[in-house]
Amino acid sequence: MTAAAQFETQLVRKRQSFWGGIGRALVRNHPFEFFISGVVIVVIFGLAILAPWIEPAAPEFQDARAVLESPSFDHPFGTDNIGRDVFSRVVHGARISLRVGFASVAIGITIATVVGAISGYFGGWVDMLLQRVVDTMMAFPSLVLILLVVAMFGNEERFVILAISIFIIAAPSRVVRAEVLSVKERQYIEAAQSVGCSNLRILGQHILPNIVHVIIVIASINIAGAILVEASLSFLGLGIPAPAPSWGNMISGQNTFWLRQAPWMLLFPGLALSLTVYAFNMMGDALRDVLDPRLRER
Amino acid sequence: MGAYFLRRLAIAAITVFGVAFVVFSAVRFLPGDTVDVLLQSAGYRDIETRHELEQALGIDRPLLVQFGSWVSDVVRGEFGQSLITQRSIGGDLGSALPVTLELGLLSVAFATVIGVPVGVLSAVKQHSMLDYVMRSTSIVFLSIPNFLLATIIIVFGSVWFNWSPPLRYTPIQDDPIANLEQFLLPAFLLGLTASAGLMRFTRTAVLEVIRQDFVRTARAKGLAEYVTVTRHVLRNAMLPVLTVIGIYLALIVGGSIIFEQIFQLPGIGRYFFNAVAKRDYPGIQAVALIYASIVVIVNLGTDMLYAWSDPRIRYR
């Protein structure tokens, strides 16, 4: 190795990847939160992915000879009042919850980012108009807006996802707008404008990379919320339709008569739901702390 | 202050109008319209009855005309009558609204009594074991859905204590004790979840103030910690907390649908739920408008409170 090359390796710090940096910061600052929530999330994902291979019976299969059986080796979480295996339903429920949670957050946050970025970057009447629309959306109490959308389109899974993503849009778009407002005053944006970059290029190449940490934080916080909302909807009987093993359906108070005789029908899906929401809440919290201390507790 | 207030008021009015229009158009896209529901229950099927019915309900006219006449009715305080029960919506909501408000106020009271002191304590003792335990507990309560807690209590209450929530609603003027007993559990559970959020917010608000110079001065001149916290820190930290309590009230009032279902309370959430299920346009419109008005009024109130206490906001 020549002297020059040696000198260079000493000077140039090894390039850190974005995600690697976040991971290291999480381990350093919040080892406990990161570890616990990480393990829970990995386990829930694992169960959801492996569901067809680890289920004792198909989630909708009704075994008339095994009704209301308490947890045993054959049925780890027991069976419900029509002989369906609760464990199979819980792991398949994980699929629904994660699908709805991640899909609605992906759609909702993407739209929120676009709306917030346009509103903040262009300002003027575009901003005024978009913000009044956001005001209107924020004036609906959460479940009211979602119930309206589900009532309009129906309660298939894709419409539930649509409803929850519409509900998600408003508040994050405000945060993104505020971030864009502060970033667009920086000098490198002025520089980009003065060399003739198009607005699209400035937004995509210069502004977005500088607010992406905020977007990650909002997205991670909203996943827990989206999973909870789906469960509430299904609990009311207006979410994913009944035979599907959604956690909300399984907790639903409609059959308290059976729940009284077989509490495991209620406790296991409830535990799965709470643990999942807990893990995502905690992960979101730790991420927020690492990535954007200013957003704390807003 | 006057100009700021007028500007906020104008925005609030636009928002309510926007909500009214969105809901009004949205309900008309609901599949399986009211006419079908009514015709099926009456057994008529021919096209003429259908037209007559549509005419009687006034839903054969263009959307904008319908919207105009609805707005002018609402402005005069007329919500019209339900397409399903033929009862006056204004009257039904008049008896439903107090139920929801009582639930909301009681829940917020619980949330405040639990969340604010714990939040203050947690901030004052930052980094202590106590702080850590309280913060972890708050995430736990934020993560356990309160409808799950409610269901568990109802199920195990009947198994172990032979207790179950009353099925019939008792108005407060008939029997205040029975009425309060009925509201206590749902309000406590709703308040518990809210208290977790409120605790975290209070903690941050107090921490922000406690790091400031005037607090250091207060400590430096030898004030007791208790006096520093109550006279100097809390006085400055409580304003944002107060406004957040207002926002929680709006959130709980809007989010009480599930609890009104579980505990059989005839509030506007239940009314809304049933109206959506039966495609009762005027009912859905009226409730959505009331919800939006509550949210907008609360937001306006908190904005005003902020502007009144902090002049910098008025001149942004």
PDB file of all heavy atoms in Angstrom, chain A residues 85-115:
ATOM      1  N   ASP A  85     -59.705 -24.087  16.359  1.00  0.00           N
ATOM      2  CA  ASP A  85     -58.500 -24.040  17.177  1.00  0.00           C
ATOM      3  C   ASP A  85     -58.070 -22.581  17.387  1.00  0.00           C
ATOM      4  O   ASP A  85     -57.799 -21.868  16.431  1.00  0.00           O
ATOM      5  CB  ASP A  85     -57.389 -24.830  16.479  1.00  0.00           C
ATOM      6  CG  ASP A  85     -56.135 -24.841  17.315  1.00  0.00           C
ATOM      7  OD1 ASP A  85     -56.108 -25.607  18.285  1.00  0.00           O
ATOM      8  OD2 ASP A  85     -55.218 -24.067  17.007  1.00  0.00           O
ATOM      9  N   VAL A  86     -58.011 -22.150  18.648  1.00  0.00           N
ATOM     10  CA  VAL A  86     -57.723 -20.745  18.935  1.00  0.00           C
ATOM     11  C   VAL A  86     -56.303 -20.362  18.530  1.00  0.00           C
ATOM     12  O   VAL A  86     -56.067 -19.275  17.996  1.00  0.00           O
ATOM     13  CB  VAL A  86     -57.986 -20.418  20.426  1.00  0.00           C
ATOM     14  CG1 VAL A  86     -57.598 -18.983  20.741  1.00  0.00           C
ATOM     15  CG2 VAL A  86     -59.454 -20.632  20.760  1.00  0.00           C
ATOM     16  N   PHE A  87     -55.342 -21.293  18.728  1.00  0.00           N
ATOM     17  CA  PHE A  87     -53.955 -20.982  18.351  1.00  0.00           C
ATOM     18  C   PHE A  87     -53.853 -20.681  16.849  1.00  0.00           C
ATOM     19  O   PHE A  87     -53.242 -19.692  16.442  1.00  0.00           O
ATOM     20  CB  PHE A  87     -53.036 -22.144  18.728  1.00  0.00           C
ATOM     21  CG  PHE A  87     -51.594 -21.898  18.370  1.00  0.00           C
ATOM     22  CD1 PHE A  87     -50.823 -21.029  19.127  1.00  0.00           C
ATOM     23  CD2 PHE A  87     -51.019 -22.529  17.273  1.00  0.00           C
ATOM     24  CE1 PHE A  87     -49.497 -20.786  18.794  1.00  0.00           C
ATOM     25  CE2 PHE A  87     -49.690 -22.279  16.940  1.00  0.00           C
ATOM     26  CZ  PHE A  87     -48.928 -21.418  17.697  1.00  0.00           C
ATOM     27  N   SER A  88     -54.488 -21.520  16.034  1.00  0.00           N
ATOM     28  CA  SER A  88     -54.445 -21.291  14.586  1.00  0.00           C
ATOM     29  C   SER A  88     -55.051 -19.935  14.254  1.00  0.00           C
ATOM     30  O   SER A  88     -54.546 -19.206  13.391  1.00  0.00           O
ATOM     31  CB  SER A  88     -55.239 -22.352  13.838  1.00  0.00           C
ATOM     32  OG  SER A  88     -54.891 -23.616  14.291  1.00  0.00           O
ATOM     33  N   ARG A  89     -56.139 -19.600  14.957  1.00  0.00           N
ATOM     34  CA  ARG A  89     -56.798 -18.332  14.661  1.00  0.00           C
ATOM     35  C   ARG A  89     -55.935 -17.161  15.103  1.00  0.00           C
ATOM     36  O   ARG A  89     -55.897 -16.130  14.432  1.00  0.00           O
ATOM     37  CB  ARG A  89     -58.189 -18.280  15.316  1.00  0.00           C
ATOM     38  CG  ARG A  89     -59.135 -19.315  14.694  1.00  0.00           C
ATOM     39  CD  ARG A  89     -60.502 -19.316  15.331  1.00  0.00           C
ATOM     40  NE  ARG A  89     -61.248 -18.081  15.145  1.00  0.00           N
ATOM     41  CZ  ARG A  89     -61.797 -17.690  13.997  1.00  0.00           C
ATOM     42  NH1 ARG A  89     -61.653 -18.433  12.928  1.00  0.00           N
ATOM     43  NH2 ARG A  89     -62.467 -16.575  13.940  1.00  0.00           N
ATOM     44  N   VAL A  90     -55.231 -17.327  16.211  1.00  0.00           N
ATOM     45  CA  VAL A  90     -54.372 -16.229  16.668  1.00  0.00           C
ATOM     46  C   VAL A  90     -53.223 -15.997  15.684  1.00  0.00           C
ATOM     47  O   VAL A  90     -52.932 -14.850  15.315  1.00  0.00           O
ATOM     48  CB  VAL A  90     -53.837 -16.502  18.098  1.00  0.00           C
ATOM     49  CG1 VAL A  90     -52.715 -15.528  18.436  1.00  0.00           C
ATOM     50  CG2 VAL A  90     -54.954 -16.363  19.112  1.00  0.00           C
ATOM     51  N   VAL A  91     -52.579 -17.074  15.221  1.00  0.00           N
ATOM     52  CA  VAL A  91     -51.440 -16.853  14.309  1.00  0.00           C
ATOM     53  C   VAL A  91     -51.910 -16.343  12.943  1.00  0.00           C
ATOM     54  O   VAL A  91     -51.231 -15.537  12.318  1.00  0.00           O
ATOM     55  CB  VAL A  91     -50.543 -18.103  14.139  1.00  0.00           C
ATOM     56  CG1 VAL A  91     -49.804 -18.384  15.428  1.00  0.00           C
ATOM     57  CG2 VAL A  91     -51.319 -19.304  13.683  1.00  0.00           C
ATOM     58  N   HIS A  92     -53.091 -16.793  12.506  1.00  0.00           N
ATOM     59  CA  HIS A  92     -53.603 -16.225  11.256  1.00  0.00           C
ATOM     60  C   HIS A  92     -54.071 -14.791  11.468  1.00  0.00           C
ATOM     61  O   HIS A  92     -54.001 -13.963  10.552  1.00  0.00           O
ATOM     62  CB  HIS A  92     -54.732 -17.087  10.695  1.00  0.00           C
ATOM     63  CG  HIS A  92     -54.217 -18.277   9.937  1.00  0.00           C
ATOM     64  ND1 HIS A  92     -53.947 -18.240   8.602  1.00  0.00           N
ATOM     65  CD2 HIS A  92     -53.889 -19.521  10.360  1.00  0.00           C
ATOM     66  CE1 HIS A  92     -53.476 -19.427   8.215  1.00  0.00           C
ATOM     67  NE2 HIS A  92     -53.422 -20.218   9.265  1.00  0.00           N
ATOM     68  N   GLY A  93     -54.556 -14.510  12.693  1.00  0.00           N
ATOM     69  CA  GLY A  93     -54.933 -13.134  13.032  1.00  0.00           C
ATOM     70  C   GLY A  93     -53.729 -12.208  12.950  1.00  0.00           C
ATOM     71  O   GLY A  93     -53.843 -11.052  12.557  1.00  0.00           O
ATOM     72  N   ALA A  94     -52.546 -12.737  13.315  1.00  0.00           N
ATOM     73  CA  ALA A  94     -51.324 -11.937  13.223  1.00  0.00           C
ATOM     74  C   ALA A  94     -51.103 -11.499  11.782  1.00  0.00           C
ATOM     75  O   ALA A  94     -50.700 -10.365  11.514  1.00  0.00           O
ATOM     76  CB  ALA A  94     -50.133 -12.743  13.717  1.00  0.00           C
ATOM     77  N   ARG A  95     -51.398 -12.404  10.844  1.00  0.00           N
ATOM     78  CA  ARG A  95     -51.245 -12.042   9.431  1.00  0.00           C
ATOM     79  C   ARG A  95     -52.128 -10.849   9.085  1.00  0.00           C
ATOM     80  O   ARG A  95     -51.693  -9.890   8.464  1.00  0.00           O
ATOM     81  CB  ARG A  95     -51.665 -13.214   8.530  1.00  0.00           C
ATOM     82  CG  ARG A  95     -50.759 -14.385   8.627  1.00  0.00           C
ATOM     83  CD  ARG A  95     -51.098 -15.394   7.570  1.00  0.00           C
ATOM     84  NE  ARG A  95     -49.874 -16.063   7.155  1.00  0.00           N
ATOM     85  CZ  ARG A  95     -49.754 -16.778   6.059  1.00  0.00           C
ATOM     86  NH1 ARG A  95     -50.781 -16.918   5.248  1.00  0.00           N
ATOM     87  NH2 ARG A  95     -48.623 -17.359   5.765  1.00  0.00           N
ATOM     88  N   ILE A  96     -53.419 -10.945   9.504  1.00  0.00           N
ATOM     89  CA  ILE A  96     -54.356  -9.864   9.184  1.00  0.00           C
ATOM     90  C   ILE A  96     -53.885  -8.556   9.813  1.00  0.00           C
ATOM     91  O   ILE A  96     -53.801  -7.525   9.153  1.00  0.00           O
ATOM     92  CB  ILE A  96     -55.775 -10.214   9.674  1.00  0.00           C
ATOM     93  CG1 ILE A  96     -56.289 -11.429   8.912  1.00  0.00           C
ATOM     94  CG2 ILE A  96     -56.712  -9.035   9.500  1.00  0.00           C
ATOM     95  CD1 ILE A  96     -57.684 -11.845   9.275  1.00  0.00           C
ATOM     96  N   SER A  97     -53.550  -8.622  11.120  1.00  0.00           N
ATOM     97  CA  SER A  97     -53.161  -7.396  11.817  1.00  0.00           C
ATOM     98  C   SER A  97     -51.951  -6.749  11.178  1.00  0.00           C
ATOM     99  O   SER A  97     -51.916  -5.544  10.954  1.00  0.00           O
ATOM    100  CB  SER A  97     -52.868  -7.699  13.277  1.00  0.00           C
ATOM    101  OG  SER A  97     -54.059  -7.783  13.990  1.00  0.00           O
ATOM    102  N   LEU A  98     -50.929  -7.563  10.886  1.00  0.00           N
ATOM    103  CA  LEU A  98     -49.709  -6.997  10.315  1.00  0.00           C
ATOM    104  C   LEU A  98     -49.966  -6.458   8.912  1.00  0.00           C
ATOM    105  O   LEU A  98     -49.486  -5.392   8.545  1.00  0.00           O
ATOM    106  CB  LEU A  98     -48.600  -8.050  10.285  1.00  0.00           C
ATOM    107  CG  LEU A  98     -48.073  -8.477  11.658  1.00  0.00           C
ATOM    108  CD1 LEU A  98     -47.027  -9.565  11.516  1.00  0.00           C
ATOM    109  CD2 LEU A  98     -47.488  -7.287  12.400  1.00  0.00           C
ATOM    110  N   ARG A  99     -50.763  -7.216   8.139  1.00  0.00           N
ATOM    111  CA  ARG A  99     -51.066  -6.765   6.786  1.00  0.00           C
ATOM    112  C   ARG A  99     -51.783  -5.427   6.823  1.00  0.00           C
ATOM    113  O   ARG A  99     -51.387  -4.467   6.165  1.00  0.00           O
ATOM    114  CB  ARG A  99     -51.940  -7.806   6.086  1.00  0.00           C
ATOM    115  CG  ARG A  99     -51.366  -8.243   4.789  1.00  0.00           C
ATOM    116  CD  ARG A  99     -52.039  -9.428   4.163  1.00  0.00           C
ATOM    117  NE  ARG A  99     -53.370  -9.762   4.601  1.00  0.00           N
ATOM    118  CZ  ARG A  99     -53.775 -11.031   4.797  1.00  0.00           C
ATOM    119  NH1 ARG A  99     -52.939 -12.026   4.620  1.00  0.00           N
ATOM    120  NH2 ARG A  99     -55.000 -11.276   5.175  1.00  0.00           N
ATOM    121  N   VAL A 100     -52.852  -5.370   7.623  1.00  0.00           N
ATOM    122  CA  VAL A 100     -53.625  -4.133   7.699  1.00  0.00           C
ATOM    123  C   VAL A 100     -52.762  -3.010   8.263  1.00  0.00           C
ATOM    124  O   VAL A 100     -52.734  -1.900   7.725  1.00  0.00           O
ATOM    125  CB  VAL A 100     -54.895  -4.325   8.556  1.00  0.00           C
ATOM    126  CG1 VAL A 100     -55.599  -3.004   8.783  1.00  0.00           C
ATOM    127  CG2 VAL A 100     -55.836  -5.305   7.891  1.00  0.00           C
ATOM    128  N   GLY A 101     -52.014  -3.311   9.332  1.00  0.00           N
ATOM    129  CA  GLY A 101     -51.192  -2.282   9.960  1.00  0.00           C
ATOM    130  C   GLY A 101     -50.175  -1.707   8.992  1.00  0.00           C
ATOM    131  O   GLY A 101     -50.123  -0.494   8.783  1.00  0.00           O
ATOM    132  N   PHE A 102     -49.384  -2.581   8.370  1.00  0.00           N
ATOM    133  CA  PHE A 102     -48.316  -2.088   7.507  1.00  0.00           C
ATOM    134  C   PHE A 102     -48.860  -1.469   6.225  1.00  0.00           C
ATOM    135  O   PHE A 102     -48.395  -0.419   5.792  1.00  0.00           O
ATOM    136  CB  PHE A 102     -47.323  -3.206   7.186  1.00  0.00           C
ATOM    137  CG  PHE A 102     -46.285  -3.372   8.257  1.00  0.00           C
ATOM    138  CD1 PHE A 102     -46.535  -4.144   9.369  1.00  0.00           C
ATOM    139  CD2 PHE A 102     -45.071  -2.706   8.166  1.00  0.00           C
ATOM    140  CE1 PHE A 102     -45.595  -4.276  10.376  1.00  0.00           C
ATOM    141  CE2 PHE A 102     -44.122  -2.823   9.154  1.00  0.00           C
ATOM    142  CZ  PHE A 102     -44.384  -3.614  10.270  1.00  0.00           C
ATOM    143  N   ALA A 103     -49.873  -2.104   5.616  1.00  0.00           N
ATOM    144  CA  ALA A 103     -50.392  -1.574   4.354  1.00  0.00           C
ATOM    145  C   ALA A 103     -51.011  -0.197   4.571  1.00  0.00           C
ATOM    146  O   ALA A 103     -50.723   0.744   3.821  1.00  0.00           O
ATOM    147  CB  ALA A 103     -51.426  -2.531   3.767  1.00  0.00           C
ATOM    148  N   SER A 104     -51.828  -0.053   5.623  1.00  0.00           N
ATOM    149  CA  SER A 104     -52.485   1.243   5.779  1.00  0.00           C
ATOM    150  C   SER A 104     -51.485   2.323   6.158  1.00  0.00           C
ATOM    151  O   SER A 104     -51.620   3.465   5.715  1.00  0.00           O
ATOM    152  CB  SER A 104     -53.635   1.158   6.782  1.00  0.00           C
ATOM    153  OG  SER A 104     -53.216   0.528   7.953  1.00  0.00           O
ATOM    154  N   VAL A 105     -50.470   1.959   6.954  1.00  0.00           N
ATOM    155  CA  VAL A 105     -49.461   2.955   7.288  1.00  0.00           C
ATOM    156  C   VAL A 105     -48.669   3.344   6.040  1.00  0.00           C
ATOM    157  O   VAL A 105     -48.403   4.528   5.796  1.00  0.00           O
ATOM    158  CB  VAL A 105     -48.518   2.446   8.396  1.00  0.00           C
ATOM    159  CG1 VAL A 105     -47.265   3.298   8.474  1.00  0.00           C
ATOM    160  CG2 VAL A 105     -49.239   2.470   9.723  1.00  0.00           C
ATOM    161  N   ALA A 106     -48.309   2.352   5.206  1.00  0.00           N
ATOM    162  CA  ALA A 106     -47.562   2.660   3.988  1.00  0.00           C
ATOM    163  C   ALA A 106     -48.349   3.617   3.102  1.00  0.00           C
ATOM    164  O   ALA A 106     -47.833   4.653   2.654  1.00  0.00           O
ATOM    165  CB  ALA A 106     -47.234   1.377   3.228  1.00  0.00           C
ATOM    166  N   ILE A 107     -49.630   3.295   2.870  1.00  0.00           N
ATOM    167  CA  ILE A 107     -50.442   4.161   2.009  1.00  0.00           C
ATOM    168  C   ILE A 107     -50.652   5.528   2.656  1.00  0.00           C
ATOM    169  O   ILE A 107     -50.426   6.571   2.046  1.00  0.00           O
ATOM    170  CB  ILE A 107     -51.813   3.507   1.721  1.00  0.00           C
ATOM    171  CG1 ILE A 107     -51.606   2.156   1.031  1.00  0.00           C
ATOM    172  CG2 ILE A 107     -52.669   4.415   0.867  1.00  0.00           C
ATOM    173  CD1 ILE A 107     -52.879   1.359   0.874  1.00  0.00           C
ATOM    174  N   GLY A 108     -51.070   5.500   3.923  1.00  0.00           N
ATOM    175  CA  GLY A 108     -51.395   6.752   4.606  1.00  0.00           C
ATOM    176  C   GLY A 108     -50.207   7.684   4.700  1.00  0.00           C
ATOM    177  O   GLY A 108     -50.306   8.878   4.400  1.00  0.00           O
ATOM    178  N   ILE A 109     -49.049   7.131   5.092  1.00  0.00           N
ATOM    179  CA  ILE A 109     -47.878   7.988   5.276  1.00  0.00           C
ATOM    180  C   ILE A 109     -47.352   8.500   3.936  1.00  0.00           C
ATOM    181  O   ILE A 109     -46.883   9.628   3.827  1.00  0.00           O
ATOM    182  CB  ILE A 109     -46.775   7.237   6.054  1.00  0.00           C
ATOM    183  CG1 ILE A 109     -47.259   6.890   7.461  1.00  0.00           C
ATOM    184  CG2 ILE A 109     -45.503   8.059   6.131  1.00  0.00           C
ATOM    185  CD1 ILE A 109     -47.473   8.072   8.368  1.00  0.00           C
ATOM    186  N   THR A 110     -47.462   7.661   2.886  1.00  0.00           N
ATOM    187  CA  THR A 110     -47.030   8.131   1.565  1.00  0.00           C
ATOM    188  C   THR A 110     -47.862   9.326   1.133  1.00  0.00           C
ATOM    189  O   THR A 110     -47.331  10.369   0.715  1.00  0.00           O
ATOM    190  CB  THR A 110     -47.169   7.004   0.521  1.00  0.00           C
ATOM    191  OG1 THR A 110     -46.481   5.861   1.001  1.00  0.00           O
ATOM    192  CG2 THR A 110     -46.591   7.425  -0.809  1.00  0.00           C
ATOM    193  N   ILE A 111     -49.188   9.196   1.244  1.00  0.00           N
ATOM    194  CA  ILE A 111     -50.046  10.325   0.855  1.00  0.00           C
ATOM    195  C   ILE A 111     -49.760  11.534   1.741  1.00  0.00           C
ATOM    196  O   ILE A 111     -49.648  12.661   1.257  1.00  0.00           O
ATOM    197  CB  ILE A 111     -51.531   9.922   0.934  1.00  0.00           C
ATOM    198  CG1 ILE A 111     -51.790   8.738   0.009  1.00  0.00           C
ATOM    199  CG2 ILE A 111     -52.421  11.094   0.542  1.00  0.00           C
ATOM    200  CD1 ILE A 111     -53.201   8.214   0.048  1.00  0.00           C
ATOM    201  N   ALA A 112     -49.613  11.280   3.043  1.00  0.00           N
ATOM    202  CA  ALA A 112     -49.353  12.385   3.969  1.00  0.00           C
ATOM    203  C   ALA A 112     -48.071  13.107   3.583  1.00  0.00           C
ATOM    204  O   ALA A 112     -47.999  14.342   3.618  1.00  0.00           O
ATOM    205  CB  ALA A 112     -49.252  11.863   5.397  1.00  0.00           C
ATOM    206  N   THR A 113     -47.040  12.333   3.195  1.00  0.00           N
ATOM    207  CA  THR A 113     -45.772  12.946   2.806  1.00  0.00           C
ATOM    208  C   THR A 113     -45.937  13.817   1.574  1.00  0.00           C
ATOM    209  O   THR A 113     -45.471  14.960   1.532  1.00  0.00           O
ATOM    210  CB  THR A 113     -44.719  11.851   2.520  1.00  0.00           C
ATOM    211  OG1 THR A 113     -44.642  10.990   3.658  1.00  0.00           O
ATOM    212  CG2 THR A 113     -43.361  12.458   2.252  1.00  0.00           C
ATOM    213  N   VAL A 114     -46.637  13.265   0.567  1.00  0.00           N
ATOM    214  CA  VAL A 114     -46.838  14.027  -0.658  1.00  0.00           C
ATOM    215  C   VAL A 114     -47.626  15.313  -0.365  1.00  0.00           C
ATOM    216  O   VAL A 114     -47.212  16.419  -0.741  1.00  0.00           O
ATOM    217  CB  VAL A 114     -47.581  13.169  -1.711  1.00  0.00           C
ATOM    218  CG1 VAL A 114     -47.967  14.016  -2.907  1.00  0.00           C
ATOM    219  CG2 VAL A 114     -46.707  12.006  -2.139  1.00  0.00           C
ATOM    220  N   VAL A 115     -48.729  15.161   0.371  1.00  0.00           N
ATOM    221  CA  VAL A 115     -49.561  16.328   0.677  1.00  0.00           C
ATOM    222  C   VAL A 115     -48.776  17.359   1.492  1.00  0.00           C
ATOM    223  O   VAL A 115     -48.744  18.552   1.164  1.00  0.00           O
ATOM    224  CB  VAL A 115     -50.832  15.903   1.455  1.00  0.00           C
ATOM    225  CG1 VAL A 115     -51.571  17.120   1.998  1.00  0.00           C
ATOM    226  CG2 VAL A 115     -51.744  15.094   0.560  1.00  0.00           C
TER     227      VAL A 115
END
